[in-house]
Amino acid sequence: MDSKNPIESSPSIEITLNSSSRRSNSSSHSKASRGNSVREVTFGDLGSKPVRYGSRGADSEGFSGSQKEISDEDARLVYVNDPEKTNERFEFSGNSIRTGKYSILSFVPRNLFEQFHRVAYIYFLIIAVLNQLPQLAVFGRGVSILPLSFVLLVTAVKDAYEDWRRHRSDRIENNRLTWVLVNDQFQQKKWKDIRVGEIIKIHTNETLPCDMVLLSTSDSTGVAYVQTINLDGESNLKTRYAKQETLSKTPEKEKIRVLIKCEKPNRNIYGFHANMDMDGKRLSLGSSNIVLRGCELKNTAWAIGVAVYCGRETKVMLNSSGAPSKRSRLETRMNFEIIILSFFLISLCTIVSICAAVWLRRHRHDLNTIPFYRKKNFNDEDKDDYNYYGWGLEIFFTFLMSVIVFQIMIPISLYISMELVRVGQAYFMIRDTLMYDEASNSAFQCRALNINEDLGQIKFVFSDKTGTLTENKMEFQCASIWGVDYSGGKDSSVNEQVGHFVQVDGKILRPKMKVRIDPELLQLSRSGNNTEEAKRVHDFFLALAACNTIVPIAFDDASNPTVKLMDYQGESPDEQALAYAAAAYGFMLIERTSGHIVIDIQGERQRFNVLGLHEFDSDRKRMSVILGCPDKTVKVFVKGADTTMFSVIDRSLNMDIIRATEAHLHNYSSLGLRTLVIGMRELSDSEFEQWHSSFEAASTSLIGRAAMLRKVANTVEKSLRILGASAIEDKLQQGVPEAIESLRTAGIKVWVLTGDKQETAISIGYSSKLLTSKMTQIIINSNSKESSRKSLEDALRMSKKLITVSGTTHNNGGNSGGAVSPVALIIDGTSLVYILDSELEEQLFKLASKCSVVLCCRVAPLQKAGIVMLVKNRTSDMTLSIGDGANDVSMIQKADVGVGISGKEGRQAVMASDFAMGQFRFLVPLLLVHGHWNYQRMGCMILYNFYRNAVFVLVLFWYVLFTCFTLTTAINEWSSMLYSIIYTSLPTIVVGILDKDLSRRTLLKYPQLYGAEHRQESYNSKLFWLTMIDTLWQSVVIYFIPHLAYWGSTIDAPSIGDLWTLAVVILVNLHLAMDVIRWSWITHVAIWGSIVATFICVIVLDAVPTLVGYWAIFDIAKEGSFWLCLLAIVVAALLPRFVVKVLYQHFSPSDIQITREAEKFGSRREFGAVEIEMNPILEPSRR
């Protein structure tokens, strides 16, 4: 939100460095300040005039280049209505856009390249290639390719569908129609065919197809109202202006000879610098004269402009980074374990090859008669070598065949299982009624299925403010007028204004929005100017109604045809709230033109001439309007932040009133309200004439216009008489303070990145509980690289000092741990211009990592992405970005996880996000509940899949060692294939979707439990190696108990193979059952049903006469030793694991295990009585 109304959340103590111009405001007048104080440390060039990246109006022009002319080499020359000449020297970008990742030609190679980032895929590709060689064809050649091909195909189809949707969106966008001047008449033309230099006509409610400079509008004064939802996430109307010199031109009837010399395309959506040469005159163009692509024309019948930037060169496209390929952090970590398993597999194959080499050497004289290594073909008279390639090649082939036989050590089925589990998890997240927003009728959306588990590892949350933390709805709460606090109606629900109304053309006109009123103040506002107090109230509300850029729009009330509602549209919700407040107290703004306003004051309509308007800028932090009043006087009304207003208030008039106002301001700020100070003075004729001549000269200046306008404003914004102060509440979304508190308790750092002014962001920080009165604020506002460097160095020294002092204080006080004093960093976009992408980034990160809270103000969309990358490039911590507007798209795409708010501010953020929801507060159940469940399930499932396949491979390995290393197997080939498909796959998928280690209620009650994911308790190297050791033991038990039990017997290989098959399946399913926390009937069916299905399959396979091992299971199952072996295997294999789990949970339990026990007892008695002490949450690790 780019509010014009500066807000000051006033701290009680300010420590100022490098400047003596800031005021020091004592908190002695405020009861709220008792006991706590806020320390604010400000760095930067406070004595100079800093320029903000992203400032608006004249301020942005100053940044863009108000100090110099644009040279031809650095400029784009646009000949109006002459696209041929415009594009003669350089062929500028067309207006076609493309957001898709792939083309028809690039899809296959690029998609395969992205998929083969999975190390396992490379491994299976190598296996498939090896199996094509005749000497190594252990399995059928076609069959060996099918598993990998199937997985690649499924993923490719999913990626192709997602990219097809992006291309379809691009095609719809590029083929939209607009009116373009062709052959002296406006004709419809596709957006993609628009060229720089062409004249375009836009009608009301239509979207701008490109960046264009306004030439004329339907309004006689050249005003156009636009909505910038797709740019900065704001739904409020902004005003843009056509130059008076071009208003009278009619492009259809006369040739317009105009040359626009503008800056080259850049990402600054708030700034524009250009000159217009017309009829021998040179006019200056600024950000108020350009309308950007994506804006919508509102309350203006039509607007005509010339295209200056098209397609990928428009500011909105330059601020959009490409859609990245996101992969789960857990999956990336899994690649490392897969590499370890690959080395383990190579070790097994090497052992088999070496043993085979020794065996061949020992039996080299017997190879003529040994079946598998027969050297001579006795059926052939020539007695050629048969099926033997020599000692060296045989060893080499043995190694490669071992790789093929043991290939399932790397579980390709794991990837299919992970995709299915993610689909199931996404289904339950979407169906979660607690993440359904009734207000916007929007359910949770899971737009990316491959990063569900990343929700459980988030360490940093980067949030937009407007529309994300707030509803972007301002409500006037109370006021201090002439030293009197009128806040009696703030806590009273009965004093809600039904609506002040006036009669217009026989109809009742009332404000659209209701405002809480103070009865005493309402009575005073209606008493006229009889008393001094009533006169001050009159001037106060006149200032609220007049000192703004509000556009009043009347429309019929659908519920009552005799009533019209007055809607106030403006760039700032603050201005809207103040205008509605003035209307509620009888000062209703009725009409606004570029030259005058009409205000109905207690039923009497009065006209005021607007002689001049000084808009808010980030140096003055105030705005003013000069009015010609009905009584022929000229008055200047000023409103702004108290830090700047009190410096221009005439303190010689009444210090008691000033001190009382300061105390009231502090009280309002401590409540998280957005405060403004109102002042005024009357101008003499000479003062007005002097100001008017200076204002005209500054407004038409080509060079240094912003600085000149500031100087002119300062000449009238002085010696003001204080009228009072207003307090507005920016309505936070429901549950935002509680959500932020829960996230911080969970060890998640919340950073707010906003395009708002600094004062607004700080105020919201207080109301959302992001900032507290105990925090020390470090504020960095710099306008050069050197000053940014110095500010960072000073801030780093200050933060270290604060930490040292705090630690000493706490230790001396006897507290253990030496708690660190919380520090909040507040930095603006101008400073980030010089810090990001430079050597200062490291210093900024060091400073930010020491802070509990970071607020970045006035940042451009790409700077938001830069802040995210600042953290991602220097830590291994997971990042999440959440926003609701198109200006948040880059930030959402750069973060590990992107969340879009599906609210009022367009759909761009949702379309670019991985997950979408209706309210910020839903982030708590998303991360703390679903994130925890998803990560815990997926971590356990990955380890289980490693174990499941490794134990099977090791049984095959032990058998090879006892069969002359011939790589034959006792286990039926069909059972080998069905092992990962039917025997053991379904239970792990079901458990991965349904199992819950803790209830939702417990996870929300104890946010600290999220720290288990930060500590990677569900998946880490220690667990991996313990799992592999357990796997080795279980494989030994599975193989050697039957081996020893049937030693010396006449049992055949298929029979003992069936025993091993059943033993492995029973064991791995019981192993999984030991880890299940929440049983359901589906879980029971999956686990016990898999065991039953295995028995059935083995029986069916052994009943087929054509297969090896016919009737084997029927023969061996008759013997009691078969069942005793199964029982002994299960007990011996699982007993060590059971003992270790019991001992570990008894002597060294984790937070999760302790809470689970408390939850179990809580089912019998009140859970709240159980106190749980959590492990500390670790600080972020550096890369």
Side-chain angles (χ1 to χ4, degrees):
M1 178 187 67
D2 299 311
S3 172
K4 287 181 175 294
N5 292 338
I7 308 300
E8 179 67 16
S9 187
S10 178
S12 51
I13 297 180
E14 295 178 356
I15 303 173
T16 305
L17 303 184
N18 301 330
S19 172
S20 59
S21 63
R22 298 281 297 259
R23 68 181 178 87
S24 177
N25 178 26
S26 173
S27 63
S28 59
H29 301 290
S30 172
K31 296 179 182 179
S33 66
R34 196 174 299 162
N36 292 324
S37 65
V38 180
R39 291 161 290 174
E40 180 176 314
V41 187
T42 305
F43 302 99
D45 297 339
L46 299 180
S48 63
K49 297 180 179 179
V51 184
R52 264 62 163 180
Y53 180 92
S55 296
R56 308 184 66 150
D59 199 39
S60 62
E61 293 170 29
F63 175 78
S64 300
S66 63
Q67 302 302 320
K68 58 182 176 59
E69 288 287 342
I70 304 177
S71 64
D72 290 342
E73 293 77 15
D74 297 330
R76 163 173 292 197
L77 302 180
V78 179
Y79 295 89
V80 177
N81 200 25
D82 194 348
E84 300 299 332
K85 189 174 182 179
T86 300
N87 292 272
E88 182 179 18
R89 183 179 174 189
F90 300 108
E91 184 65 31
F92 297 127
S93 172
N95 204 39
S96 177
I97 63 167
R98 177 186 167 191
T99 59
K101 288 170 59 177
Y102 308 108
S103 66
I104 295 178
L105 295 178
S106 69
F107 176 76
V108 173
R110 183 173 178 183
N111 187 262
L112 287 176
F113 174 76
E114 291 177 354
Q115 289 201 58
F116 276 102
H117 276 81
R118 290 172 166 171
V119 177
Y121 285 10
I122 299 175
Y123 163 77
F124 284 107
L125 178 63
I126 294 173
I127 295 296
V129 172
L130 289 177
N131 203 70
Q132 305 308 305
L133 302 177
Q135 298 86 349
L136 305 175
V138 178
F139 307 110
R141 295 180 181 178
V143 174
S144 64
I145 299 176
L146 284 178
L148 178 62
S149 301
F150 176 75
V151 175
L152 291 175
L153 179 63
V154 170
T155 307
V157 169
K158 183 196 74 169
D159 292 342
Y161 174 70
E162 291 178 352
D163 203 58
W164 173 79
R165 291 173 60 191
R166 283 191 284 265
H167 280 287
R168 181 181 62 177
S169 176
D170 292 343
R171 188 165 56 253
I172 293 173
E173 188 84 354
N174 289 329
N175 289 322
R176 294 173 71 173
L177 298 175
T178 192
W179 296 94
V180 179
L181 188 65
V182 180
N183 298 327
D184 297 330
Q185 61 179 350
F186 284 105
Q187 301 177 6
Q188 284 197 323
K189 197 173 186 180
K190 292 181 178 180
W191 278 23
K192 65 181 179 181
D193 298 327
I194 295 174
R195 302 171 65 192
V196 174
E198 290 186 321
I199 293 179
I200 302 166
K201 187 173 186 178
I202 305 298
H203 296 88
T204 185
N205 295 326
E206 289 184 351
T207 303
L208 274 292
C210 59
D211 295 353
M212 68 181 206
V213 170
L214 284 178
L215 298 177
S216 61
T217 72
S218 57
D219 187 272
S220 59
T221 61
V223 177
Y225 302 104
V226 296
Q227 198 174 55
T228 58
I229 278 181
N230 295 330
L231 281 177
D232 55 16
E234 291 298 327
S235 58
N236 301 310
L237 295 186
K238 276 79 172 176
T239 52
R240 297 294 182 262
Y241 305 93
K243 285 293 182 180
Q244 294 294 323
E245 288 79 0
T246 61
L247 281 178
S248 58
K249 302 292 183 181
T250 307
E252 305 100 308
K253 298 180 181 179
E254 57 182 305
K255 185 72 174 177
I256 299 179
R257 300 187 181 277
V258 176
L259 170 63
I260 296 177
K261 185 190 295 184
C262 60
E263 58 193 353
K264 291 182 178 179
N266 59 72
R267 298 186 176 99
N268 184 6
I269 63 174
Y270 301 116
F272 177 68
H273 184 237
N275 298 323
M276 177 188 290
D277 292 332
M278 177 180 177
D279 299 334
K281 294 174 61 179
R282 173 161 291 187
L283 309 174
S284 179
L285 300 175
S287 58
S288 61
N289 306 118
I290 188 172
V291 190
L292 305 183
R293 179 185 179 121
C295 296
E296 289 186 22
L297 190 67
K298 296 288 185 180
N299 299 331
T300 308
W302 54 262
I304 294 176
V306 57
V308 290
Y309 305 123
C310 289
R312 63 178 180 272
E313 293 178 344
T314 57
K315 293 182 182 292
V316 67
M317 292 303 296
L318 288 173
N319 274 285
S320 298
S321 54
S325 299
K326 293 185 179 181
R327 293 169 56 238
S328 162
R329 178 68 60 85
L330 195 62
E331 189 175 321
T332 304
R333 173 67 186 273
M334 188 180 73
N335 281 343
F336 177 73
E337 271 75 32
I338 287 179
I339 292 172
I340 293 176
L341 289 176
S342 300
F343 281 111
F344 184 60
L345 173 64
I346 292 172
S347 301
L348 295 181
C349 297
T350 302
I351 292 172
V352 172
S353 300
I354 294 174
C355 292
V358 173
W359 189 91
L360 285 172
R361 180 62 67 184
R362 285 182 178 179
H363 296 81
R364 61 184 180 275
H365 302 299
D366 303 325
L367 296 179
N368 287 340
T369 56
I370 294 177
F372 288 100
Y373 290 100
R374 201 166 38 186
K375 285 185 63 177
K376 298 295 181 180
N377 184 359
F378 295 100
N379 297 324
D380 195 335
E381 295 180 358
D382 297 333
K383 296 182 176 56
D384 293 333
D385 289 349
Y386 172 75
N387 201 29
Y388 188 77
Y389 300 97
W391 187 73
L393 281 178
E394 284 292 333
I395 297 171
F396 179 66
F397 289 153
T398 299
F399 178 86
L400 295 182
M401 291 173 70
S402 301
V403 173
I404 297 173
V405 172
F406 301 151
Q407 64 176 292
I408 64 168
M409 174 67 77
I410 313 298
I412 193 172
S413 60
L414 171 60
Y415 291 101
I416 301 175
S417 300
M418 290 175 68
E419 294 298 328
L420 292 175
V421 167
R422 285 166 176 160
V423 170
Q425 292 172 349
Y427 171 80
F428 285 105
M429 287 193 288
I430 293 170
R431 300 273 295 180
D432 189 345
T433 56
L434 295 183
M435 292 197 295
Y436 172 76
D437 182 32
E438 294 183 358
S440 60
N441 192 29
S442 57
F444 180 83
Q445 299 178 44
C446 186
R447 302 176 54 82
L449 293 176
N450 56 335
I451 56 173
N452 291 354
E453 59 272 20
D454 284 349
L455 294 171
Q457 305 169 78
I458 302 300
K459 189 68 176 178
F460 286 87
V461 169
F462 301 94
S463 175
D464 178 40
K465 184 190 72 65
T466 305
T468 303
L469 297 180
T470 70
E471 296 180 355
N472 202 17
K473 294 179 181 178
M474 310 297 173
E475 286 189 5
F476 180 85
Q477 294 294 341
C478 49
S480 169
I481 303 176
W482 203 239
V484 179
D485 181 12
Y486 296 98
S487 56
K490 182 180 185 304
D491 299 322
S492 176
S493 58
V494 298
N495 290 324
E496 194 166 277
Q497 176 80 352
V498 176
H500 172 83
F501 63 89
V502 296
Q503 293 285 342
V504 177
D505 299 330
K507 287 191 174 184
I508 296 175
L509 181 63
R510 63 168 45 133
K512 174 185 173 183
M513 291 186 64
K514 299 176 182 178
V515 177
R516 285 194 179 97
I517 59 170
D518 181 276
E520 182 185 356
L521 184 56
L522 180 62
Q523 185 176 355
L524 272 174
S525 67
R526 292 174 174 174
S527 63
N529 296 332
N530 300 329
T531 64
E532 183 69 17
E533 186 179 22
K535 186 177 180 181
R536 301 304 177 198
V537 170
H538 176 277
D539 290 340
F540 178 84
F541 284 114
L542 179 58
L544 296 191
C547 191
N548 54 54
T549 57
I550 288 292
V551 180
I553 301 171
F555 63 94
D556 292 329
D557 186 354
S559 61
N560 189 344
T562 64
V563 174
K564 278 196 169 187
L565 299 179
M566 179 62 73
D567 184 19
Y568 289 141
Q569 289 286 339
E571 296 190 27
S572 164
D574 301 75
E575 290 189 338
Q576 291 174 297
L578 294 177
Y580 281 120
Y585 284 95
F587 293 73
M588 184 183 293
L589 179 63
I590 300 294
E591 178 186 339
R592 175 183 294 277
T593 70
S594 59
H596 73 270
I597 57 175
V598 176
I599 301 176
D600 185 286
I601 301 178
Q602 304 300 342
E604 180 185 351
R605 191 166 299 187
Q606 298 185 17
R607 171 174 170 154
F608 298 83
N609 293 323
V610 180
L611 305 176
L613 180 73
H614 291 285
E615 294 188 4
F616 171 87
D617 67 59
S618 53
D619 289 311
R620 293 163 39 247
K621 295 184 180 179
R622 55 182 180 262
M623 73 168 294
S624 59
V625 61
I626 291 88
L627 296 182
C629 301
D631 60 0
K632 306 303 181 182
T633 61
V634 177
K635 296 178 180 178
V636 54
F637 293 91
V638 188
K639 66 179 180 184
D642 58 354
T643 50
T644 60
M645 285 295 292
F646 282 115
S647 64
V648 295
I649 294 291
D650 188 349
R651 290 181 172 262
S652 64
L653 295 177
N654 197 325
M655 281 302 298
D656 292 336
I657 292 176
I658 293 176
R659 280 193 288 266
T661 304
E662 287 178 334
H664 295 156
L665 281 169
H666 184 81
N667 291 336
Y668 298 158
S669 298
S670 65
L671 296 174
L673 301 179
R674 301 155 64 92
T675 58
L676 285 173
V677 174
I678 316 296
M680 66 159 288
R681 78 182 179 101
E682 189 173 322
L683 298 180
S684 64
D685 292 341
S686 59
E687 285 178 318
F688 171 73
E689 291 299 331
Q690 183 181 355
W691 166 83
H692 187 262
S693 60
S694 301
F695 182 74
E696 288 295 323
S699 299
T700 56
S701 174
L702 296 178
I703 302 176
R705 176 151 48 113
M708 292 179 67
L709 284 172
R710 282 194 294 269
K711 186 177 180 181
V712 172
N714 290 331
T715 62
V716 292
E717 296 171 351
K718 63 181 182 181
S719 302
L720 301 177
R721 184 172 69 248
I722 190 168
L723 294 176
S726 65
I728 302 171
E729 181 182 7
D730 186 356
K731 298 293 290 184
L732 288 172
Q733 289 185 9
Q734 181 184 351
V736 166
E738 295 81 3
I740 290 177
E741 183 64 28
S742 294
L743 294 176
R744 292 173 65 177
T745 305
I748 300 173
K749 291 192 173 183
V750 182
W751 293 17
V752 175
L753 316 178
T754 177
D756 269 352
K757 297 185 299 296
Q758 189 168 286
E759 296 79 9
T760 306
I762 292 175
S763 177
I764 290 299
Y766 278 109
S767 58
S768 65
K769 302 298 189 291
L770 190 69
L771 297 175
T772 67
S773 59
K774 296 181 180 179
M775 285 184 178
T776 300
Q777 295 179 13
I778 296 179
I779 301 177
I780 297 180
N781 297 321
S782 302
N783 64 354
S784 70
K785 191 170 184 177
E786 285 307 313
S787 62
S788 298
R789 187 194 310 276
K790 185 176 184 305
S791 297
L792 287 172
E793 291 172 353
D794 293 343
L796 277 169
R797 283 194 295 269
M798 177 63 68
S799 63
K800 290 177 182 178
K801 183 178 179 181
L802 289 169
I803 292 172
T804 303
V805 170
S806 176
T808 303
T809 302
H810 279 272
N811 287 332
N812 291 341
N815 291 345
S816 61
V820 177
S821 175
V823 178
L825 171 63
I826 301 165
I827 187 169
D828 68 347
T830 308
S831 304
L832 292 175
V833 169
Y834 305 106
I835 295 174
L836 296 179
D837 299 322
S838 73
E839 68 277 6
L840 300 180
E841 271 193 350
E842 186 65 27
Q843 287 180 281
L844 175 61
F845 176 76
K846 288 180 181 178
L847 175 61
S849 62
K850 297 177 185 296
C851 298
S852 303
V853 174
V854 176
L855 274 176
C856 298
C857 319
R858 266 307 198 187
V859 289
L862 216 61
Q863 285 179 319
K864 293 185 177 183
I867 292 293
V868 175
M869 294 307 298
L870 177 76
V871 174
K872 281 187 66 176
N873 292 338
R874 288 168 175 80
T875 74
S876 58
D877 297 319
M878 296 289 294
T879 59
L880 179 147
S881 292
I882 180 170
D884 69 319
N887 57 328
D888 303 314
V889 168
S890 295
M891 171 179 74
I892 287 172
Q893 292 180 336
K894 287 296 182 184
D896 296 301
V897 178
V899 179
I901 298 292
S902 51
K904 305 175 182 177
E905 313 297 352
R907 296 279 301 171
Q908 281 70 21
V910 171
M911 295 300 294
S913 65
D914 305 306
F915 304 95
M917 53 191 183
Q919 295 276 331
F920 178 86
R921 60 188 169 93
F922 297 155
L923 202 59
V924 173
L926 179 64
L927 299 184
L928 304 191
V929 178
H930 291 288
H932 171 88
W933 285 341
N934 294 346
Y935 178 75
Q936 182 267 336
R937 295 162 176 166
M938 194 65 72
C940 293
M941 192 190 79
I942 291 172
L943 290 173
Y944 174 78
N945 274 268
F946 286 159
Y947 149 78
R948 181 189 68 179
N949 285 33
V951 74
F952 189 81
V953 168
L954 286 171
V955 170
L956 298 177
F957 172 74
W958 301 127
Y959 183 77
V960 167
L961 297 184
F962 287 90
T963 54
C964 303
F965 320 105
T966 56
L967 294 169
T968 59
T969 175
I971 297 177
N972 187 291
E973 290 184 358
W974 280 95
S975 289
S976 298
M977 182 185 69
L978 295 175
Y979 178 75
S980 297
I981 300 175
I982 295 179
Y983 296 171
T984 58
S985 61
L986 186 59
T988 181
I989 294 173
V990 170
V991 173
I993 295 174
L994 299 179
D995 195 33
K996 299 176 182 178
D997 58 343
L998 291 169
S999 68
R1000 174 194 296 269
R1001 175 174 173 266
T1002 301
L1003 291 171
L1004 292 176
K1005 184 174 183 179
Y1006 299 104
Q1008 303 95 320
L1009 292 170
Y1010 194 77
E1013 281 68 62
H1014 292 157
R1015 294 187 293 271
Q1016 299 179 344
E1017 291 182 2
S1018 297
Y1019 186 85
N1020 53 54
S1021 297
K1022 179 182 176 182
L1023 283 176
F1024 173 78
W1025 287 111
L1026 286 175
T1027 301
M1028 289 299 103
I1029 293 171
D1030 188 29
T1031 302
L1032 182 63
W1033 163 253
Q1034 292 189 26
S1035 70
V1036 169
V1037 171
I1038 293 170
Y1039 178 81
F1040 283 101
I1041 285 182
H1043 182 89
L1044 296 175
Y1046 289 98
W1047 185 263
S1049 69
T1050 58
I1051 190 173
D1052 60 355
S1055 297
I1056 199 169
D1058 287 343
L1059 174 56
W1060 281 327
T1061 300
L1062 294 171
V1064 170
V1065 172
I1066 293 172
L1067 186 61
V1068 298
N1069 279 287
L1070 288 176
H1071 179 108
L1072 178 63
M1074 289 177 63
D1075 290 332
V1076 175
I1077 308 299
R1078 301 289 172 96
W1079 286 88
S1080 66
W1081 69 268
I1082 299 177
T1083 310
H1084 281 291
V1085 169
I1087 293 179
W1088 313 125
S1090 293
I1091 296 176
V1092 173
T1094 303
F1095 271 94
I1096 294 173
C1097 288
V1098 169
I1099 291 172
V1100 170
L1101 291 173
D1102 283 0
V1104 179
T1106 56
L1107 296 179
V1108 177
Y1110 176 66
W1111 220 249
I1113 186 64
F1114 299 98
D1115 292 332
I1116 193 173
K1118 295 176 183 178
E1119 303 176 9
S1121 56
F1122 171 82
W1123 302 101
L1124 287 174
C1125 281
L1126 285 179
L1127 180 62
I1129 288 171
V1130 170
V1131 173
L1134 295 180
L1135 185 60
R1137 184 168 187 269
F1138 176 78
V1139 172
V1140 170
K1141 285 190 70 172
V1142 170
L1143 293 176
Y1144 178 75
Q1145 293 186 20
H1146 181 74
F1147 292 104
S1148 182
S1150 66
D1151 290 345
I1152 301 294
Q1153 293 162 345
I1154 294 172
T1155 312
R1156 193 182 304 144
E1157 288 297 316
E1159 192 175 65
K1160 187 186 301 182
F1161 288 113
S1163 63
R1164 307 190 191 104
R1165 63 175 183 264
E1166 181 58 36
F1167 187 22
V1170 182
E1171 294 186 1
I1172 303 174
E1173 182 178 350
M1174 302 294 172
N1175 288 323
I1177 297 174
L1178 302 177
E1179 286 300 310
S1181 55
R1182 293 290 301 274
R1183 278 184 178 168

